[in-house]
Every structure is written in C-alpha cells, then in structure tokens.
C-alpha cells in the first residue's frame, strides 16, 4: 500500500505539477486540500483538476469566516504591524491552512503533508512551524527544497505538465510577472521588476485598488462599530466578519486605500521587497486605534504598543501556534473588553483619516475634566505641583551630584 | 533688592500679563526670554513689549537650527510616534526652551523661572522636569497653578492688561477659538469645538496645510538624502537642518500632508483631543523608516521598534534630560551610523508614499540572494530545512506532551 | 450627624492617636478596620482598644488565606523581584487592605478612609491608588501629610495619648529603633542605624530568622509540589496557601534563609535602605523558577522574564488594581497551566539550592533528545547546519557591506 | 597545494583526532590555534602535540586579560543572567575564540575554520555565528555534524588515535563522566548522571569549590571597588581584570560560593541540564547590583533590568558580534559612567551577602531626604498628595465608567 500525502493544492500550475511529482517520486497517494480564504479565485474548479490527476480524496472548503473571525480579528486587536508598515496579510493565513491540512492528513490517514512554498521565503516556515506544533510527528515534504526537484522555472513546470498531460490553466495569473498571494485580507506582489528596490511598480500591477489619482474626487465617510475590540458593523449594519472585511476592501479599494511598497526583513535572513494592497485592513487599523484612544486606559495602551512589534514578528515568523503568541493574545484580549463604540473614518484618494469617535458605554474621555473652561473643581491644578516635584526628585538628586 | 525671575515670554497677552503679575505679586524684577523655534511669528516685536513692561534684561534668540539639529533629528532617528499617531511636535520643543531659560536665569542671577503653561497640561511637566534636571535648586513659578492667580479667562487677562495699560496685540491668534502651539516641527490645536471628540474640526482651523481636496492634482516626487540617520539634502541639495525641515513643511503643507486628529493620553492622567499639522515630520518619518528598511539590520530594527513607544512616552512626558532617555538615545544613535542613502517619496492629496530607496554604501538588500531567478548558489534552499526543524523542536516537544 | 471615616487601625500607638485625632479634628465618627494578614501580632486586642476610643463599628478580620491565595501566589507566578532583590512583601499586602477598607467604608456609609502611612513612603501611594481604583469618589485622609498634623515624633504621640487617656500598649515594637512592617510574606526594617547604607544591621534586629552562622549544621531537604504554577504541598502533604507559606517561613527562618539588605528606589523619587526577611518567599521563588525550567516553553519563559521587572514595579508602585497589571496577569496566568510537578530544595546556612525537579505530566525535558549518548535519531545533527547558516545570513550580508 | 584549515585546538583527544581527520578527509594542511582563557590547564603542551601531528603553523596565546576586560566585564555591566540562573560562563568565551581563530585563518591564508563542538549544543552556534559575522566568506567545518564523521564515542576516538599513533593524554579529564568546559569565569558539567534532572550531582563532580558544608565556619568580608561599572580593586588593592577575577574565584570557591544546578533552554530547541561553578561571577553580580543600587538612577536601572533578559539571551545564543548586542551595549555602557564606589560583601557557606556600599562621588542616596527624622524641609510631604492624585486620575476615570 502506498504512503499517503496531504497536499495544499491551489489548482494552479505549480501545485498540479507537484501533485504528480509526489505521486511519481514518492510513490504516494496524494490527498488534496484546497481552501477558499478569499483569494478571489474560484476554488471549486480545483476538484476537476485534482480528479484529472487521479486524486481520490479531495477536500475543498470555504474558510473565509473562520479566517477573519479567528485569525484576522484577533491580530487586529493588537494593532499588529510588522516593521512599521506590513499588515501581515500573508502571514496570518498560513496557520489556518496548515491547521486544516494537518487535520485532513489525520482524517485520511496521511503521515505527511506537502506544500508549494519555496526555500527562500517565509511561507515555508509559517506552514511548517504550524504543522509541527499541531502534530509533532507529521512529516513535511517541501518539494522546492528537495534535491530531486528540478522544476525551478515556469518553463520546466509547463514542460513537465505537457509531457504528462496535466490539464493546467495556462492563463493563471494572467501571465503576471509577479509572484502573488491573495486572501481576504490582502494581495501581495514580489519578484519581477520589484527586485530592484529603487524601481517603482507599474501601475497595472495593482489588482484591488485604483490609483489614488483615479479615486473619486469626493471623500467617503464610513462608520465602523466595535464590540470587544472587533469590528461588528458598518454604517450601523451588523455583518459577519468576512462580509465586513469584504465590504471594507471594496470601499477602500475604490478610494485607492491600502497600497504599500516596502523592503522587509524575512525570517530566513534576507531583505526582500514587496508590494501589498490591504484596503480593509488599512482602514481597520486606523479605526481600531481610534476606538482604543477613547476607551483604553493609557498604560494598557502603552503596554500593548510596546509588545506589538514582538507580537507582529511572531506572526510574521510563523509562531501563531506557539505558547508565547497565546500568552500575548491573553494579554491583548484582556484589554479589549472595553473597546466598544463607533469610529467614523474618511476615505479620500488613498488616505484614511478619523473624523469622529464615540463610546457611550466605555469612553474614558471626560470633557468635564479636560476642558479649558471652568471645570467646576473636577481637577485641582495644584495637584500638578506635587506630581511634578516628586517625578523630578530623582532628577534633582542626580543633578546635585553633578 | 528685589528677587529676579526669568520668564519664558512670548510677547502675547498671557505672558505679558504674567510679566506684570510677577512684578507685582512677587515684587520681582522680571527677565524675559523669547525664542524663535520656528513658530512662524516674529520674535523681535517682543522686545518693545517687554521694554514697555519695564523689563531691563531682555533675551531674544533664534534657536531654530539647534532645535532641529539637536532635538528634532535625534528624535526622528527613533521613529518616535506617541500612541501610534502623534509626532511629538510640542513635546520636543519644551526641553530646549527650558534649558535656555535656566541658562538665562544663571546668567542674570535669577533664582526662579516662570512659564505660562496651565496646570492641566503636559507642558508644565515638560518644562519643569527639564528645569529641575538642569538646575536642581531652581525655583519654578507656574502662575496658572497659583492660588493667587485669578486671570483664568481671556476676558480677565484683557481687563487686567487694560487696567495696567499693558500694550498687547489684541489680534494675536486672530481670535482663534483654539489653543495653539507652533514650532518648526508642527502646529497644534486644542480646546473649543475640539473638546467633543465626535466633532470634526472646521476646515478653517488648519493653518499650515491645504485640505487634501484642495491639494494639487499632480503628485510631487521628492528625494531625501540621509547621512547617519539624519536628513541632509532635498533633491540632491544639501541644506541645514532647519532649512530642510522648513522646505519639507512647505511642500508637505501644499500637498495636504501631515494633518492628524487624535485623542491622546496626557501624563497628568486625562484623555484630551488634539489636532496637529506636521507636514515635514510626516514626510520624514516615512522616509526615515524606508531608509532604515534598506540599511538597518533586522534585529537592530526590531529592537528599536520595541523600544520606540517607551522613548516616545519619555519625550511626551518631559523626560528629555533624564538618564533613561540618554541611555536609549545611545542605543538609537549606535544603530544610525549605517543609515545612509536616498529615499524618494511621493506627496499626493494628503498622503506620502515611498517610491524608491537606494544606498550605494550601506544597503543590506542583496538582489542576488533574494531573487526568484537562479541565484547561482548565493543561498542554499536546503538550509531552510534545518532552520525550520530546529526552530520547531520546542514546539514539537510541547505537542508531544499533549 | 457627623461624617464617618473608615480607619485602617492596627491597635498600636500611631493609629490609636490617629483615631482620636480624626474624631476631634474632623469631628468624625471613626469606623476601625483591623486585618490579620499574618503580621504575627494578635489582632483581637484591637477591639478593646477601639472600644476604649469610643468606636462603635469595629471590623476585625483574618485575611491570611485570601492574602496568600489571591495576592502572594499570583505574584509569585511572575517570579516577581523588584530591582533584582526585593520580594515585594510590603507592596503586595497593601491592595488587599485597601480593598477591604473601601468595602468597610461602603458597608458603613463612610465617605472617607484614613491610613497611618507617612508622606515619604510607598505605602501611602499603594494604599491610595488601590482605594481610588475601587471607589473613585472616596476621600482619602492621610493625617501624616496634613498641615494640621503635628504629632511627627513618637514623643508627641505619647504625650497626646497620655493627655487624652488613650490606652496604648507602650511595649509595642519592643522599643525597636526600626520602622517595621510584617505580614505572612515578610518582615521589613527601615530607619534607625539603617539610614547609613554603609552600616550593617545589628544581629538583634532580625526577628524571623536565625543568623546563617547559627543555623543547623545539617541541611534540610524539602519537596514542594506545584499545581498550575502555585505551590500546593510540602513533602507530599497538601495544605492551604497560608498554612504552606507559614511552614516555609518556619523552616526557612530556622535555616537562616531569606534575609536581604538593599538600597531600593522608592516611587516618590528617593533611594532608601531596607532590610527584609522573607524566608518562605525566598524558597518559593527558587522552587517556582526550577519548576518552570522543566515545564515552561523557552519563549514563554523569556517573555515572562522580560516583563517581570515591569510587573514587579507595578506592584511596588501600587498599581495592583490597574488595567495594565490585570493584563500582564492574564499573560502570566496563561503560561502557568503547565507548571505542575515537584521540586526538591535544600536549605543550608542561609542558602536555598535546587537538587531535583520532576514533572510526570508536563516535563518538556527529553533525555532521549538531549543525551550525549546515541539518541536513535531523535535529533538530526545536520539540521544545525541550516539553522546556523540562516541565522547567520543577515550577519554575513552586513559583514560583506563592510 | 592543499587547502588550509584553521582548527580550534585544545590539545585533548577530540581535537587531536579531529586534526588528523581533517588532514586525511579534507586533504588539508591544518593550522592549530590554542588559547589560554583561564581553563586551568596548561596550553603550552599543545605545541608538542600539534607538532607530532605534523602541524607547521601553531598558534598558542594567552587571552585571559582580553577575555575578562573585553567580554566578561562588559557583560557584567548588564547584570546578565540567562533564565534567572545562568551566568553565561561558556557563552561569553566563544566569541573571543572565534574572533582569534578567524584572524589566525586570515593571517595564514586558511579559507576554512574547524571546531570540535557537537551538533546538539549551543557552542557550535556561538562559534559559527561569530565567525560568519567577522568573515562572511569563511567556510566552517564542524566534523561532528559531518556525515563522514564516525567517531562519535570516546572509544572510537581512542581507537582512531591508537591506529594512527596520535599521542594523546589519556588522563585528560581524569576519566570524568561529565562533559566539562572551563575558563576564567566558570566551569560547567553536563551529561552522565546529570541527564536525569531529578538526580543531584555527586559531590566529587565539583572542581572549583568546596561544598558549603565544608567551607570555613568564619565568614570572609571583602571590599570590591568599581570604576565605570567594572570592578577595579579588591580590599583596596588595584589589580588587572584577570587577576581580580582569579582572586574572586579563589576566595569564592574556598567558601563554597557559586554552584548552580539548572535546567536550561538551548537555542537549538531542547532543554538540557547543567551544573556550573562560577565563584567570582556570583560575587561580582551581587556586588555590581549593590553598587548600582546606590549610584544608578531608578529609571535607568529599571530599563536595564527589562532589557537584561534579552541581552543575556543574545549572548547565550551566540550573537555577541551582532548589531543588536552592540546597540544594547551602547545603552548599558552609557549608564555605567556613574557606577563608582565600593561594596562590601560577605562570603559564608555558599552564600554572598552585601553588608555595605559607599560612593563618595556618585551616590544618589540622600539620607537628608529619606530620613524618618526631621528632614529640615528637604522633602515636602504634601507633594505626595498631588503626586498620588494625578497618578490615580486615570484609574478613577475608569472606575467611574464602571
């Protein structure tokens, strides 16, 4: 009886070729797993392709709601931003796919999983760390890292496919010169002309957003409600996590919001250049911070800010299922109970700005205290004298030392 | 012989009244100190006003270059941002003014200093902590916190001035309903209609920038050179720190760049709402991060990111002249030696985006390693297997525990 | 009808005098609250003293179990140590006393609380921050800081008491020249000859422990079991939190364990010198760390270590009932679920050492992996090559830059 | 012409065999480098052994002073302690040896270096990360990780040596069942019976210290002077870094000071159990903290405490020559300028306690401020009211929200 391998299968050229290669090289029965995480392409066509490859156990699932509710939203509670710029769109999807793939392997009796990520990137790490954390005895096959894998160029893959009559859709990616990844949170671009960090991307690279120059001349104002730190409604209309994020992507993209173009540090030790479109995420980060600004205690907020870069790096590096991420999440979630209310944002020509925030139940803003007008004794200005003098005491003693 | 008090004097209504009040209440000789830190108003007229108040020792100084070179630029090396939004424009100016005022006091034999900040805000803290750190034995007089001070409204001040024939410029602030503060880094607005955080500011509040809607339809591209982490040239033209920041303010303001509208946490314990225009600073932060993305080591960058919120809070809270700020600065400055090169930014309708970055001397980006194309052995993909497996080991051992 | 004030009442000279002073100065009815938190003195005698002072509502409570279970043990989960040395014995008791006092005030209709801490120390801060966090509208009366209070010396207090025939126990503190504080976690000493940090304490100062030189010549070995990060049994015998800590104090003290003599930084800005005896706490910290060393994931442990100084400072400074302490506690507690097992410690002449640790259920130590002997493939040494090479990559790229 | 390899050569069995193996397997000319870093064995005998192996370029160096002055002392400025227990004795020696070996390679024209560390431990990582950081193009040969290496047991090594008549000293390590490492800072033990973390070591394992039970019944008091954060004199006698550390090891060891027995987390992902003797380091850590307690500003000290675990992990993991360690060192060193004075410690039966500290020039302790006696107005107790009230403000506003 041949061994069984569960493959993360997109239905595209690379993983179709990989499916056959695993069948041949590893003399294995391959189980395919294809997930809809909002990448924008149909997943159902993967079924016929897998069947044509002789796959008998085919798993196709819509994970969009789980993706947003259990991964994207918890991450946004932290205001996570990698290296000050990157909203972690690719990073946050990998753990979920790895988790389901490990579960598919368990359900089908496969003792190995395989994925199509290369040996230079972060995705292999995210994928494999998650898999090992969930099943320490799983074997991971990463064909791109295999000495036997010799299909390193698109041409080699296509020749291999043609030779074996693998039915691939040659139009996939529309001949894009970029390496792309998409899910409900974002779409990313790497490679091609982007490999020169001095070279701006061509305008036609971007898929989700119009150029700011082409965005409407009229701003769009949008109300976002938060409950327990998570967005729950748009313009007063409650909606599911995935629906809400999809809507934000639409309006954000239409207003040119969410593009970024950065040089980032990969976990494997090199710098790379990537471009990202994250329209909904860009809006959410701004709005969530504004909601916290009204409802979150100062020191809790500062503590979160200090821990955020580490939390973001954990997700970037693939440690979603690690004890340290879980511990940080416990801290973050503890702070979010009070993050309830409404934020109004304005989208205009690529920019998001906050133009109002309200929280009937949880605002810590007290106009009676802060006012420049008479505060009727809500605050005693003379308290500041002692406050300053004792905060200064150690500085004065040091200054006396000379 | 009367005691002598050095007063931070703007020439405006409040500090003119305060000057007289100190002369009367404290039976003191007042020495005035007026600094040009780029607030945009002439400082020289303060001389005649001080003379009219009977002041005999009048200090008027242009501190713009020192302000930018010794305070603003060091702070920007840290990518400092308070609570994710505020560029610390007011905070960073206070230590310099306090320092010079303490020096003026020493030079004139004054044993006290006085300032016009209220008892509710951050500025009193910043001012006094700096003063105490530099002269532990100085006395600080903060009339606004004095039980004897009863000029809490503008009307009371004006009546006091009229009664004593104090020549004040009644047009100062143009009757703005906002409390404002300006220097070469920013202008801020508080109070008035802003006290309701659900209420957006009137468009005519903003002084330095056009509305994004009114900005040019054509983007402006700008090259910023960095040397040792500090900006040194614009479009290839070397210029002094203050000149450079002034130019950035001009082009940024013309393109609607640098507005922000936030609720922030004051050191004295309350939340307040402020609006800020920081055109040049907004551009600089973006560009500096991009320059670092190319030249700074990953772990040095992450360490900076984790320490940044604390560094920003120190400056916000007034601890510029503290041992902990100095220690953090040593760390930050150590990392900046390699931050050399050029960044190209695009300004358009309120947004700043990075469209190129170069560093001949210090780039850590290696296209030969990162490329999707054949890398000629610069990177061995099989190294990733061991990297992942050992990073996963602790997770696997934990998973086995169950 | 007079106002009512709830007083934290020890039954000693100071707070007896304070009770009468409040009755007279504030024309108030005083409610007394006396807690047994293991200070080692009887609390019941406080009843007769309060009655003699005319107090009609007298609260006397045994809080020892709550103190250890809800305050001491949660703190030890964090391995909290202030400034590398201090086990926070005084700090951790204040929030509980403040909490009960605020509750007593609420139950009796008092709108103010009063305490006997001085204006120079940390205890006033801890006491009052806790009270304000629990009842923002409570009034706090700190007689020592009152301009009307003129009983600053022991002599003045005794004269005041004699004059008013207040029955105080003149032997209290046995005429100790030190200011002391005790509870089930520790006893502290300040003042007197300790005010010179170059001066060692007299041997007869110490109350809870023998001098190491006088400790038994034979070591004592002790097994401590942990469940969920908290100690649960000694030498296999399960016991309540307070009982367990009391026993550890006894055996620790008998072996000269737990003395420390430090200069510490007070929150109010000065350095002070204190001596502490914390026999049980010293043993617990060592044992808890050892239990974690076997059961806690590396990165979770390092995260805790990095956050510990901040957590300790929060407790030292009085922020037990703050959102940031609660958030940190959530993180810490999340990590402790796996901290189960047994640690064997040895007590000898003042030192505690670990001589064994076991965890059947939660050990992460895998002898099969770590062994110098043949590991039967549990670990592949060649994995280390890739691990090192990719961790080195950024360093190599930087070195090439030169 | 054969290639040339620079080998870190101890003169012992393992590296002697390795020398020959490199000569044979790699057909290489081997250059040996042997360093005295205070391991306690003579290094000069390595010369004859190397000669007997046909080595023509033999480097033998005394690095003890450089080791202590440039590695140990800078590390102790940070109060570095890995996982709360380990003084990093092995970790801190590797970078220096790697540095000199890379220099020897450069001087002799070798393009590779080799070391005798195994594939399971931390030392390989420390050694190689340092080498790559200093020479990105160096080749590193780690025979223990080589698939061709089949000398994994002592027996195999000895047979290989006998077969080739390699003159090794069979008494080396005295037949110790432990894997040991020694330098001027410490000696470590792993393996053998220590592989069971429930098993205490045999008393005869320890080499540098007497058992506490066998230590003198009379304590030893010792004065340590610090200059700029580094120890500079003992009992008033100035001495070189290595001399000072050697003396501390002697007196510490004689009093049973510095043993520890821990389970630690290796960088390669497993937990291991190690025993360490660090007599001098244990004394130094205690004394340095005490010196800082008197002279270092509170917030600078707390900042150091929070960064220490990360700094310690960097050294443990081998990142001495990384930008992040250098940046942290800049911060640490900046704080140490004021750490000057004298600390008196007492050694007794394994324990170190501080019994006095003085700093004429840099003490921040102000008896006049802290005293329980009349302070003549040096501190105004009423300042505490405002200090507490403003620190409480955010807590009160939150409590009002309910």
């Amino acid at each position: 009886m041949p061994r069984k391998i569960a493959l993360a299968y997109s239905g595209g050229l690379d993983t179709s070729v990989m499916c056959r290669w695993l069948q041949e090289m590893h003399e294995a029965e391959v189980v395919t797993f294809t997930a809809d995480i909002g990448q924008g392409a149909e997943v159902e066509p993967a079924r016929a392709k897998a069947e044509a490859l002789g796959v008998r156990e085919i798993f196709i699932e819509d994970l969009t709601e789980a993706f947003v509710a259990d991964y994207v939203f918890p991450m946004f509670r932290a205001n996570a931003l990698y290296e000050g710029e990157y909203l972690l769109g690719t990073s946050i999807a990998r753990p979920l796919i790895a988790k389901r793939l490990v579960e598919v392997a368990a359900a089908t009796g496969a003792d190995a999983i395989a994925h199509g990520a290369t040996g230079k990137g972060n995705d292999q790490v995210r994928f494999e760390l998650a898999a090992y954390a969930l099943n320490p005895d799983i074997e991971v096959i990463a064909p791109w890292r295999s000495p036997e894998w010799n299909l390193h160029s698109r041409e080699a893959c296509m020749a291999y496919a043609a030779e074996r009559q693998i039915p691939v859709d040659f139009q996939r990616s529309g001949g894009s010169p970029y390496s792309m990844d998409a899910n409900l949170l974002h779409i990313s671009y790497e490679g091609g002309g982007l490999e020169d960090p001095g070279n701006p991307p061509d305008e036609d690279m971007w898929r989700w957003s119009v150029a700011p120059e082409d965005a409407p001349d009229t701003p769009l104002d949008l109300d976002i409600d938060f409950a327990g730190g998570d967005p729950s409604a748009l313009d007063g209309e409650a909606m599911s996590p995935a629906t809400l994020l999809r809507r934000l992507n639409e309006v954000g993209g239409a207003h040119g919001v969410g593009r970024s173009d950065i040089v980032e540090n990969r976990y494997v030790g090199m710098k790379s250049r990537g471009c990202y479109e994250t329209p909904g995420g860009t809006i959410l980060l701004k709005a969530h911070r504004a909601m916290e600004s009204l409802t979150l205690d100062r020191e809790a907020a500062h503590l979160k800010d200090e821990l955020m870069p580490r939390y973001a790096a954990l997700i970037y590096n693939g440690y979603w299922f690690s004890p340290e991420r879980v511990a940080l999440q416990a801290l973050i979630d503890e702070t979010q109970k009070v993050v309830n209310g409404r934020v109004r944002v304005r989208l205009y020509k690529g920019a998001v700005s906050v133009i109002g925030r309200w929280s009937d139940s949880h605002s810590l803003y007290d106009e009676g205290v802060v006012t420049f007008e008479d505060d009727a004794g809500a605050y005693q200005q003379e308290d500041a004298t002692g406050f300053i003098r004792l905060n200064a005491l150690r500085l004065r003693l040091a200054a006396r030392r000379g």
Side-chain angles (χ1 to χ4, degrees), chain A:
Chain A
M1 199 172 109
R3 71 179 305 191
K4 206 182 266 186
I5 301 170
L7 171 67
Y9 181 62
S10 73
L13 174 64
D14 283 11
T15 51
S16 293
V17 163
M18 203 165 277
C19 181
R20 173 56 47 89
W21 185 87
L22 290 167
Q23 291 165 332
E24 291 182 7
M25 276 308 268
H26 287 261
E27 296 176 14
E29 179 171 343
V30 174
V31 178
T32 60
F33 171 66
T34 308
D36 183 355
I37 49 166
Q39 60 268 50
E42 294 296 315
V43 290
E44 200 45 42
R47 187 179 307 277
K49 294 181 181 173
E51 282 168 354
L53 284 158
V55 174
R56 288 184 297 184
E57 292 173 288
I58 298 170
F59 292 77
I60 296 181
E61 296 181 14
D62 180 347
L63 299 179
T64 49
E65 289 293 350
F67 174 50
V68 182
D70 301 336
Y71 295 78
V72 174
F73 281 3
M75 180 174 78
F76 273 79
R77 288 175 211 146
N79 302 318
L81 207 49
Y82 183 66
E83 299 186 340
E85 297 284 355
Y86 173 42
L87 281 157
L88 295 162
T90 301
S91 327
I92 192 62
R94 300 300 168 202
L96 172 56
I97 296 172
K99 177 171 179 284
R100 285 297 300 135
L101 188 62
V102 165
E103 289 166 353
V104 162
T108 58
D111 67 345
I113 59 173
H115 64 78
T118 78
K120 278 189 179 177
N122 296 302
D123 284 337
Q124 56 175 346
V125 191
R126 295 163 185 157
F127 202 88
E128 298 178 29
L129 290 180
Y132 285 134
L134 297 170
N135 180 348
D137 300 313
I138 199 87
E139 184 187 342
V140 178
I141 299 171
W144 275 90
R145 296 202 309 260
S146 166
E148 285 82 30
W149 181 260
N150 55 4
L151 307 173
H152 289 97
S153 70
R154 185 170 174 81
E155 290 66 34
C157 275
M158 284 171 64
Y160 183 96
E163 204 174 300
R164 283 157 181 81
Q165 296 173 301
I166 299 172
V168 295
D169 173 1
F170 290 90
Q171 296 316 109
R172 193 64 192 285
S173 291
S176 166
Y178 305 106
S179 170
M180 295 191 291
D181 175 73
N183 59 47
L184 204 41
L185 182 54
H186 93 334
I187 181 166
S188 68
Y189 310 88
E190 293 184 311
L194 299 177
E195 291 192 353
D196 175 355
N199 195 23
D202 295 333
E203 178 53 36
D204 64 7
M205 176 189 76
W206 306 99
R207 305 253 168 142
W208 283 18
S209 64
V210 303
E213 291 86 337
D214 300 329
D217 290 329
T218 310
L220 177 74
D221 292 354
L222 188 68
D223 284 0
I224 306 178
D225 289 352
F226 286 88
D230 293 340
S232 57
L234 294 184
D235 284 338
E237 183 189 349
M239 54 188 80
S240 77
T243 306
L244 189 148
L245 184 51
R246 198 170 273 122
R247 291 259 187 104
L248 285 180
N249 282 335
E250 289 163 8
V251 296
H255 284 272
V257 166
R259 294 181 173 188
S260 74
D261 172 352
I262 62 179
V263 172
E264 73 196 53
N265 291 293
R266 286 194 190 154
Y267 191 27
V268 293
M270 66 186 71
K271 289 183 182 288
S272 72
R273 197 270 192 93
C275 289
Y276 302 95
E277 285 173 292
T278 321
T282 301
I283 298 167
L284 266 191
L285 175 64
K286 191 84 175 179
H288 184 261
R289 271 206 170 275
M291 194 77 267
E292 287 191 335
S293 78
L294 198 66
T295 57
L296 200 56
D297 170 78
R298 179 185 73 202
E299 295 302 312
H302 291 193
L303 178 57
K304 283 188 66 206
D305 279 352
E306 293 184 46
L307 291 172
M308 184 278 281
R310 175 192 292 244
Y311 176 89
L314 284 175
I315 293 177
Y316 186 86
N317 292 346
Y319 291 97
W320 181 264
F321 294 116
S322 71
E324 64 273 25
R325 203 280 308 171
V326 171
L328 283 167
Q329 194 74 52
L331 181 152
I332 292 160
D333 290 356
E334 170 64 37
T335 65
Q336 297 296 294
K337 296 169 185 168
V338 298
V339 182
N340 301 300
R342 171 170 291 184
V343 171
R344 184 166 295 155
V345 295
R346 174 164 291 179
L347 312 184
Y348 177 66
K349 298 271 187 193
V352 187
S353 45
V354 172
I355 58 173
R357 56 305 254 171
W358 301 265
S359 176
D360 289 344
S361 58
H362 288 87
S363 173
L364 290 174
Y365 181 90
D366 187 326
E367 192 170 336
V369 169
V370 76
T371 184
F372 278 87
E373 312 299 318
D374 184 357
D375 67 10
Y379 178 94
Q380 274 106 50
Q381 301 216 13
E382 60 269 31
D383 284 343
T385 303
F387 178 75
I388 296 169
R389 284 175 54 86
L390 291 202
N391 278 313
L393 183 53
R394 66 183 172 95
L395 304 175
R396 295 172 73 199
L397 292 172
R400 274 198 196 123
R401 179 175 66 182

